[in-house]
C-alpha cells in the first residue's frame, strides 16, 4: 500500500522523505502469466516538513470540498473484484490461472487482439492473474484513485482511467504481442501520469510545496516500479509506460485552476478526456491490425490456436468429470478441432522468414503444427480404444512441447 503513515492525508500520494521498509520490494505490474509470481508493493513512508504537511492538508481539504463523494474509484474496484470472483466460480485457479483461461476471459493476446478482437484492449484491464495480483493492484488503485478522483472530478477520473488503460493495452499488443497480458496496472500507472500532466499545466494555481511533494511522491513510485521490476520476467513494462503516456495526455486535458472558477471547467475537460478515450479506442480497433512484418504474420498464422486448444481442454475436462465419453470427445476433435487445425496448418505453411531468425521460427512453426495435428489424429484413435495409438499420441505431444520450447528460445 502506497500510503503508510497514519498522520498523512489519506487521498494524496505522499513523497519519499523517508526510506521504504528494508528488504527486496519488486513491484507487480500488468501480469503476463508465467512461472514467476508478482511481488508485493512496498509502502512509501512519507513524513515531510511541517509547512509542506500543512499545505498538503489544506490542499486535500479544498479537494474534499470540491468533490465530497468519491465513488468511481470504488466502482472500478468492485468491477475488478466481481470479474475475478466470477472467474473463480467458473473454475479458474485462484493462485496461478492458466494462460488459456486468461485468453478465454479476454486477456490481451496480440494475435487475437490485432486480428478481429480489439475489445480485448478493454477487457484485459479488468482481469488479473491470481489473487495476489488483484489484491496489490486494488490497494494501489484505492490510494491513487481517491486522490485523482477528487482532483479531476468523477467523470474526468473515469476518462483518465480508461484512456490510460487503453493506451497501456495498445502498447502491450504492439510490443509484446506474443504473450497474454492482463491487469489494471497500465491504468494505475496512467493515474500517476495524469497527476503529472495535471500538475504541469495547472501548477500556477497550486501551492509550490504541494506540487513538489506530489511530484516527488509520484516520481518515487515510478522509480521503485521500474527498478524493482526490471529483472522480473513476467512484468508487462510496455503496458506500464503506455498507460503512463496515455494518462499524462489525459492529465493535460483535465487540468484546470484549483479554484471556484476552475471548478466550472470540469465538465468540459471531462468531455474532452472521453474524446481521448474515443481516439484510442479507434486506434486500437483500426490501426493495430494494419501492422506488418514477420512477427505479425507469425502471430496471425497461429491466431486460432488458443481457441482450438480451449475447445479441446473443455471437452477433456468434461470427459474427466464423467459428462462425456471418449467416443464423444473423439467425435468433437474430428468434427470441430481438426478441421480448424488443418486450416491453421495451411496458413503456417505459407510463412517465409526474411532473416535467419525468422526462417528458423518459420521452420519450427511448420514442424510444430504438423506434429500437433498428428497428435490429435492419434488421440482420436486412442480415445476409441487403440492403446498403441494412445502411446504414440503421448510421444507426439512430447515432441510438440519440445518444438514449442525451441520456438520460444529462437524468438528471444
Amino acid at each position: 500500500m502506497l500510503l503508510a503513515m497514519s498522520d498523512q492525508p489519506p487521498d494524496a500520494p505522499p513523497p519519499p522523505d523517508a526510506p521504504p521498509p528494508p528488504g527486496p520490494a519488486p513491484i507487480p505490474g500488468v501480469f503476463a502469466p508465467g512461472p514467476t509470481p508478482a511481488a508485493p508493493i512496498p509502502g512509501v513512508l512519507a513524513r515531510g516538513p511541517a509547512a509542506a504537511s500543512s499545505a498538503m492538508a489544506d490542499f486535500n481539504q479544498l479537494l474534499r470540498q470540491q468533490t465530497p463523494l468519491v465513488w468511481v474509484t470504488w466502482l472500478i474496484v468492485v468491477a475488478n473484484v466481481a470479474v475475478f470472483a466470477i472467474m473463480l466460480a467458473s473454475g479458474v485457479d485462484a493462485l496461478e490461472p492458466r494462460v488459456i483461461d486468461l485468453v478465454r476471459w479476454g486477456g490481451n493476446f496480440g494475435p487475437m487482439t490485432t486480428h478481429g478482437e480489439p475489445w480485448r484492449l478493454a477487457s484485459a484491464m479488468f482481469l488479473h492473474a491470481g489473487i495476489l495480483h488483484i489484491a496489490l493492484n486494488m490497494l494501489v488503485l484505492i490510494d491513487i484513485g481517491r486522490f485523482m478522483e477528487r482532483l479531476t472530478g468523477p467523470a474526468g477520473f473515469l476518462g483518465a482511467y480508461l484512456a490510460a488503460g487503453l493506451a497501456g493495452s495498445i502498447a502491450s499488443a504492439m510490443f509484446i504481442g506474443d504473450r497474454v497480458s492482463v491487469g489494471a496496472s497500465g491504468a494505475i500507472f496512467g493515474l500517476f501520469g495524469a497527476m503529472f500532466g495535471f500538475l504541469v499545466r495547472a501548477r500556477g494555481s497550486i501551492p509550490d510545496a504541494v506540487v513538489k511533494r506530489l511530484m516527488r511522491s509520484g516520481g518515487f513510485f515510478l522509480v521503485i516500479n521500474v527498478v524493482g521490476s526490471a529483472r522480473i520476467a513476467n512484468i508487462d513494462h510496455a503496458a506500464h509506460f503506455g498507460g503512463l503516456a496515455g494518462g499524462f495526455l489525459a492529465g493535460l486535458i483535465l487540468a484546470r485552476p484549483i479554484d471556484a472558477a476552475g471548478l466550472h471547467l470540469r465538465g468540459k475537460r471531462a468531455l474532452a478526456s472521453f474524446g481521448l478515450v474515443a481516439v484510442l479506442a479507434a486506434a486500437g480497433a483500426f490501426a493495430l491490425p494494419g501492422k506488418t512484418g514477420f512477427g505479425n504474420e507469425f502471430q496471425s498464422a497461429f491466431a486460432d490456436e488458443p481457441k482450438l486448444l480451449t475447445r479441446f481442454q473443455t471437452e477433456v475436462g468434461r470427459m474427466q468429470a464423467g459428462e462425456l465419453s471418449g467416443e464423444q470427445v473423439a467425435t468433437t476433435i474430428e468434427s470441430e478441432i481438426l478441421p480448424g487445425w488443418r486450416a491453421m496448418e495451411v496458413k503456417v505453411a505459407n510463412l517465409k522468414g526474411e532473416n535467419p531468425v525468422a526462417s528458423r521460427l518459420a521452420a519450427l512453426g511448420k514442424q510444430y503444427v504438423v506434429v500437433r495435428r498428428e497428435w490429435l489424429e492419434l488421440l482420436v484413435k486412442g480415445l476409441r480404444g487403440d492403446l498403441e495409438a494412445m502411446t504414440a499420441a503421448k510421444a507426439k505431444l512430447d515432441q510438440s512441447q519440445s518444438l514449442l520450447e525451441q520456438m520460444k528460445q529462437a524468438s528471444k
Side-chain angles (χ1 to χ4, degrees):
M1 188 167 178
L2 290 179
L3 303 184
M5 299 302 296
S6 59
D7 61 344
Q8 182 65 33
D11 297 307
D17 294 312
I27 308 304
V30 175
F31 194 87
T36 305
I41 296 179
V44 177
L45 300 180
R47 197 185 287 273
S53 296
S54 176
M56 195 74 242
D58 291 343
F59 185 68
N60 269 305
Q61 184 60 34
L62 176 61
L63 294 185
R64 285 194 183 90
Q65 292 172 358
Q66 295 184 351
T67 308
L69 178 63
V70 169
W71 60 274
V72 175
T73 298
W74 294 109
L75 182 64
I76 295 172
V77 170
V78 169
N80 278 273
V81 173
V83 169
F84 187 69
I86 295 171
M87 289 173 64
L88 297 187
S90 74
V92 176
D93 190 274
L95 298 179
E96 293 187 16
R98 296 178 306 171
V99 172
I100 201 69
D101 287 331
L102 296 175
V103 171
R104 185 177 62 195
W105 276 89
N108 185 14
F109 181 47
M112 299 174 75
T113 301
T114 61
H115 292 86
E117 299 183 8
W119 51 269
R120 292 177 177 275
L121 296 171
S123 61
M125 296 161 52
F126 297 92
L127 303 176
H128 288 84
I131 193 167
L132 179 63
H133 187 211
I134 188 172
L136 295 173
N137 273 346
M138 293 305 99
L139 285 175
V140 183
L141 174 57
I142 290 169
D143 280 342
I144 182 64
R146 291 178 300 164
F147 171 73
M148 286 304 298
E149 186 170 347
R150 285 199 162 102
L151 183 66
T152 62
F157 171 75
L158 181 60
Y161 186 87
L162 294 176
L166 286 174
S169 290
I170 290 171
S172 180
M174 290 178 62
F175 297 109
I176 65 158
D178 60 333
R179 291 191 295 163
V180 180
S181 179
V182 296
S185 296
I188 292 171
F189 259 67
L191 294 180
F192 282 89
M195 181 180 73
F196 293 144
F198 195 107
L199 293 176
V200 166
R201 189 176 175 195
R203 66 183 306 152
S205 66
I206 303 174
D208 285 343
V210 173
V211 172
K212 292 177 181 179
R213 185 166 188 151
L214 293 174
M215 285 290 195
R216 286 200 307 269
S217 176
F220 185 65
F221 170 84
L222 296 180
V223 169
I224 60 174
N225 265 274
V226 173
V227 174
S229 63
R231 301 184 68 178
I232 300 177
N234 296 315
I235 301 298
D236 187 348
H237 298 290
H240 285 178
F241 288 109
L244 185 68
F248 184 80
L249 288 176
L252 291 176
I253 292 172
L254 291 166
R256 61 174 180 85
I258 306 297
D259 53 25
L263 189 61
H264 294 294
L265 297 174
R266 268 189 175 181
K268 293 180 180 179
R269 298 286 197 267
L271 187 61
S273 73
F274 279 101
L276 176 61
V277 173
V279 169
L280 289 168
F286 301 110
L288 280 179
K291 297 186 297 177
T292 59
F294 176 78
N296 284 283
E297 292 174 5
F298 190 87
Q299 292 174 4
S300 177
F302 280 93
D304 291 333
E305 183 182 27
K307 294 179 182 178
L308 295 171
L309 291 181
T310 296
R311 179 69 170 131
F312 170 78
Q313 291 176 348
T314 299
E315 295 299 286
V316 171
R318 293 181 65 192
M319 181 182 69
Q320 292 172 341
E323 299 176 11
L324 297 176
S325 66
E327 173 61 34
Q328 289 173 310
V329 175
T331 299
T332 299
I333 294 174
E334 275 188 326
S335 63
E336 299 182 29
I337 299 174
L338 270 171
W341 197 273
R342 292 185 180 113
M344 188 174 71
E345 190 175 341
V346 172
K347 295 178 184 178
V348 175
N350 292 323
L351 288 174
K352 295 179 181 179
E354 71 275 10
N355 57 57
V357 173
S359 296
R360 170 72 171 157
L361 277 172
L364 289 170
K366 293 172 185 178
Q367 294 179 56
Y368 170 77
V369 292
V370 169
V371 172
R372 278 278 192 173
R373 188 247 306 153
E374 293 172 344
W375 162 64
L376 288 169
E377 292 170 342
L378 288 167
L379 189 60
V380 168
K381 296 179 180 179
L383 289 169
R384 288 174 172 157
D386 188 333
L387 296 181
E388 290 185 4
M390 186 62 80
T391 301
K394 175 63 168 61
K396 287 292 182 181
L397 180 60
D398 292 341
Q399 184 182 355
S400 70
Q401 295 291 356
S402 175
L403 288 167
L404 186 61
E405 186 60 34
Q406 290 179 57
M407 281 193 287
K408 291 179 180 179
Q409 293 298 324
S411 64
K412 290 182 177 179

